[in-house]
Amino acid sequence: MKQGIFAKAGLSPQELKEVRDLWETCNRHDHIEIKLNWGTLSDRPPGVTNDFLFYRDDRIVGFLAIYSFLSTEVEISGMVHPEARNQGIFGQLVQTALEACRHRRVPKAIFINERGSVSGKAFLTKLGADYRFSEYVMELQEGAEGVPQTGEEPLTLRSADVQDTELLVQLNMSGFQMPEADTREYVNQTITGDKERTWIAELGHGEQKVPIGKIGAMIETDASGFIYGFCVLPERRGQGYGRQILSLTIGELKMKHQAGLIKLEVSVENEKALGLYESCGFRTKNANDYYVLMLDQNE
């Protein structure tokens, strides 16, 4: 009989099902939607411990996941069954996960807390994590129409591949002000994933096409799409290209990947981006608050 914490380097189909059942139970009970990246959970890198299950009498009552996109930081989210709370389970999961991060010499842990989770906020405050920023979770409404092309030159999307690495590094550095080393690591992780897609937006005809932006999406296991990593070159902003790129991406997700539900996240302080997404048919569903804990490598 399974009892206590089991650290896993990837989850089996049965474990994924039990974790989803737990997720749905917690969401219904708390009237929230905990952020778990299902596409990532179902396609973990081999040999790397990122998932932590807490069993009681062979039943999963707690779960915590590490998401690693850069070697310098990880994101963490998790949950405990309503009937098993206030018993120290989540604290044990967190400490086990943080020890794994220290072993990997990761200096920063970023905890994701759905804004409606009062207990989650209280736990992170007690842990000593500092609030840093918040993001709205937006969802595309049914019946949202595409944006017509504007301007004399056509705008198109093409799939990126490893030959576009240098271009994507430059676009990410321009769009997100990321250090070059972090940008290269991020591009290398996101350009070849089975469930991830990256597109480059190009303006013009034939060999005269020039890149003006990029956008990515994660194809989740439930055939939903999650848009991320969207940027347009500074000199091309304010000309309507952002709306066109987003509209073309929605079309790609719906037609080629049969995505039903399409979501994205945007900083609560980024009013321009919020307005852009709303103009394309996205509406705010909930918000996630992000808390940072710096890890002492000597512990």
Side-chain angles (χ1 to χ4, degrees):
M1 180 177 293
K2 292 181 180 178
Q3 301 280 6
I5 295 176
F6 285 72
K8 305 284 292 186
L11 300 173
S12 69
Q14 179 60 31
E15 289 166 339
L16 278 169
K17 179 183 180 304
E18 291 184 53
V19 168
R20 181 174 283 275
D21 289 343
L22 174 62
W23 177 73
E24 292 175 349
T25 297
C26 292
N27 287 341
R28 283 195 304 270
H29 181 271
D30 298 328
H31 306 290
I32 62 176
E33 184 168 318
I34 300 164
K35 183 179 179 181
L36 293 183
N37 298 324
W38 293 106
T40 302
L41 290 179
S42 62
D43 189 27
R44 289 298 207 180
V48 183
T49 301
N50 283 312
D51 300 305
F52 303 85
L53 305 168
F54 194 101
Y55 280 89
R56 177 164 291 169
D57 299 332
D58 275 341
R59 177 189 176 202
I60 296 176
V61 297
F63 173 72
L64 184 144
I66 292 175
Y67 305 101
S68 180
F69 304 106
L70 297 172
S71 60
T72 54
E73 64 183 40
V74 298
E75 294 185 359
I76 293 174
S77 63
M79 58 201 169
V80 173
H81 194 284
E83 296 176 358
R85 293 176 183 172
N86 300 314
Q87 300 172 32
I89 291 175
F90 195 67
Q92 293 180 57
L93 286 168
V94 166
Q95 291 306 320
T96 303
L98 293 181
E99 282 304 313
C101 292
R102 292 186 181 99
H103 181 72
R104 285 149 61 171
R105 305 198 66 79
V106 177
K108 181 193 296 185
I110 305 173
F111 290 86
I112 308 168
N113 186 62
E114 214 272 15
R115 182 167 292 177
S117 177
V118 177
S119 61
K121 179 180 179 180
F123 175 88
L124 292 172
T125 300
K126 185 176 180 181
L127 183 67
D130 296 320
Y131 167 79
R132 289 294 173 87
F133 62 93
S134 298
E135 290 184 336
Y136 289 126
V137 179
M138 305 188 76
E139 190 174 290
L140 185 66
Q141 303 300 291
E142 290 187 16
E145 298 182 359
V147 176
Q149 290 270 355
T150 59
E152 298 180 359
E153 296 182 288
L155 181 70
T156 55
L157 294 183
R158 68 171 177 84
S159 295
D161 58 33
V162 291
Q163 296 180 355
D164 295 305
T165 296
E166 293 303 318
L167 172 60
L168 289 171
V169 167
Q170 295 304 314
L171 287 170
N172 276 290
M173 289 177 65
S174 171
F176 303 111
Q177 291 77 53
M178 294 172 64
E180 183 175 350
D182 286 351
T183 305
R184 288 188 179 279
E185 185 177 0
Y186 172 77
V187 169
N188 288 333
Q189 284 204 34
T190 57
I191 198 171
T192 57
D194 292 337
K195 299 180 183 298
E196 293 172 311
R197 299 291 183 275
T198 300
W199 293 278
I200 295 172
E202 295 180 319
L203 193 63
H205 300 271
E207 296 182 358
Q208 303 302 314
K209 289 182 178 180
V210 294
I212 66 167
K214 48 85 65 173
I215 192 167
M218 173 74 73
I219 312 301
E220 303 284 12
T221 54
D222 59 357
S224 63
F226 185 84
I227 294 173
Y228 65 89
F230 179 23
C231 66
V232 177
L233 289 174
E235 62 269 25
R236 296 290 186 173
R237 295 172 189 169
Q239 302 171 43
Y241 294 128
R243 293 183 66 201
Q244 294 180 53
I245 294 170
L246 191 58
S247 181
L248 289 171
T249 304
I250 291 169
E252 287 276 342
L253 291 172
K254 284 186 173 181
M255 290 183 287
K256 292 187 179 180
H257 300 285
Q258 289 77 51
L261 187 64
I262 299 176
K263 295 182 179 181
L264 54 79
E265 289 184 334
V266 58
S267 169
V268 298
E269 299 176 350
N270 194 339
E271 294 182 1
K272 287 186 178 180
L274 183 62
L276 165 65
Y277 297 141
E278 288 177 339
S279 72
C280 292
F282 285 88
R283 294 294 178 267
T284 299
K285 183 177 181 183
N286 62 310
N288 289 317
D289 298 327
Y290 290 76
Y291 292 76
V292 171
L293 183 70
M294 302 304 297
L295 305 182
D296 186 349
Q297 299 301 314
N298 294 319
E299 291 183 12

